[in-house]
Amino acid sequence: ATATVLIGVDIAAALGPGQSGSVPWTVEIRIDPGTGVWGAWGPFTPGEYTCKQYQVRFIADNLSSGKGYFSGMTVTSRQPKMEETGTVTAAAGGTARTFAKAWLIAPTVWVFPQGDGWGWPSAITTAGFTAHRSSDGSPDNGGAVAWVARNY
């Protein structure tokens, strides 16, 4: 499965003692779009990427004189805040629901009965969950529910 992630890069590079000018550098990225095959390296732009996995690399240009150094690089990524909602008539024993988009981390899911009773989720994954409802005191006998999935 793939997910949309926000990716950012922070670079710490400097010149050696007594040097002036700048250290020319670039950052490149390549992604696996979910096929198991890496795409080509290309220029990195901070923002959203939809992929299964990604790699980021730092390239310093013209450092053969030894005047510059690279002191650190931090790559950050997170899934944007997501929310998905829906309704379903849960069968006795539960009904599986598939999320419209893949989640990077399994979300928190709430299930609310429509009418009397109580609802609950089970088997929550990044791809979906199972909705349950008990409406008349019987265990897991089904019925209409609304649900909310969120990450934080």
Side-chain angles (χ1 to χ4, degrees):
T2 62
T4 299
V5 292
L6 296 172
I7 303 173
V9 175
D10 184 29
I11 303 277
L15 295 171
Q19 302 297 319
S20 63
S22 64
V23 177
W25 54 268
T26 58
V27 177
E28 293 184 335
I29 188 169
R30 71 178 181 167
I31 65 169
D32 167 4
T35 62
V37 177
W38 288 103
W41 287 101
F44 171 76
T45 302
E48 291 188 1
Y49 292 82
T50 299
C51 57
K52 181 171 183 143
Q53 53 189 342
Y54 68 89
Q55 293 179 329
V56 175
R57 71 181 177 185
F58 171 85
I59 300 172
D61 298 322
N62 300 321
L63 291 182
S64 59
S65 65
K67 295 179 181 176
Y69 68 91
F70 169 62
S71 62
M73 177 172 152
T74 304
V75 178
T76 58
S77 64
R78 68 173 175 83
Q79 186 171 14
K81 287 185 177 180
M82 291 175 53
E83 178 177 291
E84 191 171 329
T85 63
T87 59
V88 64
T89 298
T95 296
R97 297 293 302 161
T98 301
F99 296 126
K101 290 184 175 182
W103 296 68
L104 188 60
I105 299 171
T108 301
V109 178
W110 295 273
V111 176
F112 306 98
Q114 303 297 290
D116 292 337
W118 62 94
W120 69 96
S122 70
I124 302 168
T125 70
T126 58
F129 71 99
T130 300
H132 300 269
R133 178 174 180 207
S134 290
S135 58
D136 64 3
S138 302
D140 206 5
N141 63 342
V145 298
W147 57 270
V148 177
R150 284 189 187 138
N151 70 355
Y152 293 96

